[in-house]
Structure formats: C-alpha cells, structure tokens
Amino acid sequence: MKLAARVNEVSPSLTLVITAKAKAMKAKGIDVCSFSAGEPDFPTPQHICEAAQRAIDDGKTRYGAVTGELKLREAIAKRLQTKNKLSYSPDNIIVTNGGKHSLYGLIQALIEAGDEVIIPAPYWVSYPEMVKLAGGTPILIETSAANNYRITTEQLREAITDKTKLLVLNSPSNPTGTVYPPAEIRAIADIVVEQDILVVSDEIYENILYDDAEHLSIGAVNPEIFARTITSNGFAKSYSMTGWRVGYAAGPLEIIQAMAKIQGHSTSNICSFAQYGAIAALENSQDCVQEMLNAFAERREFIYQAINGIPALSCPKPDGAFYVFVDISKTGLKSLEFCNSLLDSYQVATIPGIAFGADNCIRISYATSLDTIKQGIERLSNFVNSLT
Ligand code: GLU
C-alpha cells in the first residue's frame, strides 16, 4: 500500500510511544517507574468531574458550536483578561481537542510549502512534526544548559528570513523547564513586531512556576505584538485533565475563523460535557492548582538534588513545568540507547532527548509520586553505575 508521502516525513510521537510501552509493561505486572508522559498523577478535582457529570444529566451530549460552548469561551476570555492581561472576545477563541490540537489547527491554517517556522530547541516533540505535516520547514535555534535553554535576540534575528512566518514560543518549556523572564519576552516581542512575523505562545505550563519565576504572556507586551500573537493553552496540566482533551487558542479573528473552518471538517466540536468540566475549572477556587503545584515543588527539589548527586548526570534546576532535562553525555550513550536499556533492564521509563532535538539528554517527568521518584532515581543511579 502506498501511504501519503507526508506520513513518511514525520516520526511517531516518542512521548506517547514510550508512555504506552511503560503502561503495557505495568499491565503485565512489571514494576515500572514511569517518568515518561507529562501527565499529573492526581485525579481530576472532584468539582470538575461533578460539573461534567451534571452536564451529561442535563443533556449536554449533543453537537455544539464548532468553536466551543459560548459559556466556556466567555470564561476563557475572562481568565485571559484577568490573569494574562490579554483582551480577547469569545469570538477570538476556539476550543480545541487539547492544547496539542490548537497548535495543529493553527499550523494547518497558517503554514504551507515555502514557509519557515522558527522553533527553539530543545523543543516539544510535536512542533516540528506539525510544521512538516503542513508542508512547512522547521528552522531550529539551538540552545543549551549553559544559556538556560533560552534563545537570545541575536539568534532570533539571525534565524529570520523573508520566508519566516511564525515563531513558536513555549514558556515554561517542555522539555527543559526554562522560563523566559519578562524582559526577555519583551525583547523577543520587539523583534517579532519589527520583522512582522507571527508568534504562537504555548502557555500550557503557565501555572506551574517555582520560586521567583514569572510568566508574562507575550501578547500582553503591547498592542503591536498582540495583533501578531496566537495564545495556546489547555486544561490538562493545570487541572490534571489530560484525558479530557480540552484546550484552546486565542488570537486574531481571521486566524481563529480559519482554524474553525478546518475544525469544522475534522473534529467538529470538542466533547460537549467535557467543556462543562472546563468551565467549572475556571469558575471555581484555584486551590486545587496550588495544591498540585506544592507537590510538584517538593518533587522538583528532591529530583534536582538527586540527579546532580549521580556522577555522570547533571541537570539545571527547572523554573517551571514538571520536567528535568538531564545531560547524559558523560555516560557515552546516546539518548535512545540510554532510555531503552534503562527501561528494559531497570524498568524505568524516561523520554530520550532525541525526541526533543537533544540526543545528549533525557527527559524525566516528575509529575509522579515522590515514592516512585525515589525508587526510580535509585534504579537510575544503579543503571548509570553499571555503565562505568
Ligand atoms: N505533552 C505531554 C508530554 O510531553 C504529553 C504527551 C504528548 O502529548 O506529547 O509528555
């Protein structure tokens, strides 16, 4: 059978492949410590579940507006205004099948052959693949632990050509956990405006910040950048709603309408009653977000110390999200070999850095219990020791 050529252009999502492998091992009764998917281990807060259950009872089980329930888009608009200082009307918002699908829809709506999309590396696994699926060209800007995994304005200027259409910004970052300080966000905004390109700001980890880290939505910097920004977000990480698949994009009307056109021919609306859970998430107390953050903060402290205590491994302290990005260069192994051996021999699931464009690193998600982390780190340490 001859598949469409674009399928051969992309790799499967390694985050999902390894997570599935770890789950399959667990199902066979193997004691796996899984640090694979970035998926909070907490149950979805009760009030959110109850709101979705009520929505089912109330008959919210039918087709809805392609762009999402008006009540949800109003609640998102209110949140973006009060928290992010972004003034969007509900018409400027589209509810999507998770944050991932908002990015996919956006790239489908904007990018075609000949367009370049600038992506800071290490990057989240799906950004370049989405660009390739749209026929565009990902242009990577390399960063390293030495510069806190953040691009500089010089690098950005150098990467922009007359084919550049879009910059992908992800702060707090998956996989590195870096957070761009407000001054750096403002400097990037100036270049985007000056060069008249667009920026998509993936803010899915905006609530997971540690110590003094501050999140500034790039669209809030000034009206010029606002007009060139698409803000992407979702409920999965902040509210432990990964399986619900509710995300959104907010941006210029023309772009949101283009995304709606594509969504109308692909998913139609997002699961109706799941959207009522999302409304409850926004409209009720945010204590649940803080409680999860407190747990992540404790785990971050432990894992950062523990990793750096293992000779041959090192990682910077993340400012946000729930990943440590660990340098494995001193072990002499490439990331796939490292992760495969670690999983097969010591039953610890991690994601090879090659999925994020950094073959000298692995990603460890600490969105899992402290017990699992302690056990997994001990196994990881034994594995690394066995290599030397
Ligand atoms: N975004 C999460 C991760 O990076 C979930 C898996 C995925 O969608 O890639 O692990």
Side-chain angles (χ1 to χ4, degrees):
M1 190 199 302
K2 187 178 173 301
L3 297 174
R6 65 179 164 276
V7 177
N8 298 324
E9 292 285 306
V10 296
S11 320
S13 166
L14 266 184
T15 48
L16 300 183
V17 168
I18 294 174
T19 304
K21 185 171 172 189
K23 276 190 182 158
M25 287 169 75
K26 274 189 187 170
K28 279 194 201 147
I30 302 170
D31 170 27
V32 181
C33 293
S34 185
F35 300 129
S36 48
E39 175 164 45
D41 55 320
F42 306 101
T44 304
Q46 190 62 27
H47 66 280
I48 298 175
C49 297
E50 281 167 8
Q53 281 153 3
R54 261 195 319 276
I56 294 180
D57 294 341
D58 292 348
K60 308 283 189 202
T61 53
R62 311 188 68 85
Y63 289 136
V66 167
T67 53
E69 294 291 297
L70 179 59
K71 203 165 172 239
L72 176 55
R73 287 182 290 120
E74 283 171 348
I76 293 169
K78 193 168 162 203
R79 168 64 64 91
L80 288 171
Q81 179 69 69
T82 50
K83 186 175 190 322
N84 307 78
K85 310 279 178 282
L86 296 168
S87 297
Y88 290 115
S89 98
D91 286 346
N92 292 85
I93 293 167
I94 180 167
V95 179
T96 56
N97 188 42
K100 183 184 281 188
H101 195 242
S102 75
L103 297 162
Y104 183 82
L106 171 72
I107 288 169
Q108 283 295 319
L110 278 183
I111 303 304
E112 59 191 356
D115 291 336
E116 293 179 354
V117 178
I118 296 178
I119 303 174
Y123 45 76
W124 175 53
V125 57
S126 296
Y127 297 145
E129 307 310 281
M130 287 178 184
V131 172
K132 287 190 238 162
L133 280 170
T137 308
I139 303 294
L140 306 179
I141 300 182
E142 296 299 333
T143 68
S144 67
N147 53 16
N148 294 315
Y149 290 117
R150 299 202 292 267
I151 58 167
T152 63
T153 48
E154 290 74 29
Q155 283 180 305
L156 178 56
R157 270 184 208 287
E158 241 167 63
I160 295 175
T161 71
D162 54 1
K163 293 182 179 154
T164 307
K165 192 133 186 204
L166 182 68
L167 163 69
V168 180
L169 197 64
N170 174 219
S171 176
S173 149
N174 175 6
T176 66
T178 199
V179 176
Y180 283 77
E184 291 182 27
I185 293 279
R186 288 193 190 97
I188 291 172
D190 286 347
I191 297 175
V192 170
V193 171
E194 173 200 298
Q195 299 292 320
D196 198 16
I197 60 172
L198 295 165
V199 57
V200 56
S201 184
D202 178 355
E203 305 190 359
I204 189 85
Y205 297 98
E206 66 165 344
N207 290 317
I208 305 169
L209 294 169
Y210 308 106
D211 301 337
D212 301 330
E214 229 182 285
H215 173 73
L216 173 64
S217 292
I218 191 166
V221 169
N222 59 44
E224 290 75 31
I225 187 74
F226 180 71
R228 291 170 175 80
T229 301
I230 304 92
T231 306
S232 162
N233 210 325
F235 294 82
K237 315 293 183 183
S238 295
Y239 299 97
S240 201
M241 290 173 68
T242 46
W244 293 61
R245 311 313 299 139
V246 190
Y248 57 90
L253 198 58
E254 196 185 351
I255 294 177
I256 299 302
Q257 284 175 344
M259 289 173 68
K261 218 197 248 186
I262 293 170
Q263 192 152 291
H265 288 296
S266 47
T267 62
S268 306
N269 64 282
I270 302 317
C271 172
S272 316
F273 46 87
Q275 295 185 55
Y276 284 83
I279 294 168
L282 291 175
E283 288 186 343
N284 288 282
S285 157
Q286 301 301 296
D287 288 356
C288 55
V289 179
Q290 186 60 44
E291 279 161 26
M292 291 189 251
L293 177 61
N294 294 345
F296 294 141
E298 188 189 3
R299 298 165 185 185
R300 161 193 180 247
E301 209 56 56
F302 177 85
I303 203 160
Y304 167 70
Q305 301 291 348
I307 293 290
N308 287 291
I310 301 175
L313 300 186
S314 65
C315 68
K317 200 169 193 177
D319 294 319
F322 35 57
Y323 308 106
V324 277
F325 206 51
V326 180
D327 191 327
I328 57 162
S329 325
K330 288 189 185 149
T331 66
L333 296 184
K334 293 291 183 199
S335 63
L336 255 179
E337 194 185 352
F338 187 100
C339 293
N340 283 337
S341 308
L342 180 61
L343 181 55
D344 293 339
S345 316
Y346 287 81
Q347 293 78 48
V348 177
T350 55
I351 308 288
I354 197 166
F356 312 105
D359 207 8
N360 61 326
C361 291
I362 62 164
R363 188 191 78 176
I364 296 182
S365 162
Y366 52 89
T368 188
S369 75
L370 207 49
D371 278 352
T372 306
I373 294 173
K374 285 181 180 164
Q375 221 186 99
I377 291 290
E378 199 181 317
R379 294 185 198 179
L380 172 65
S381 175
N382 292 339
F383 170 63
V384 174
N385 289 338
S386 76
L387 298 172
T388 50

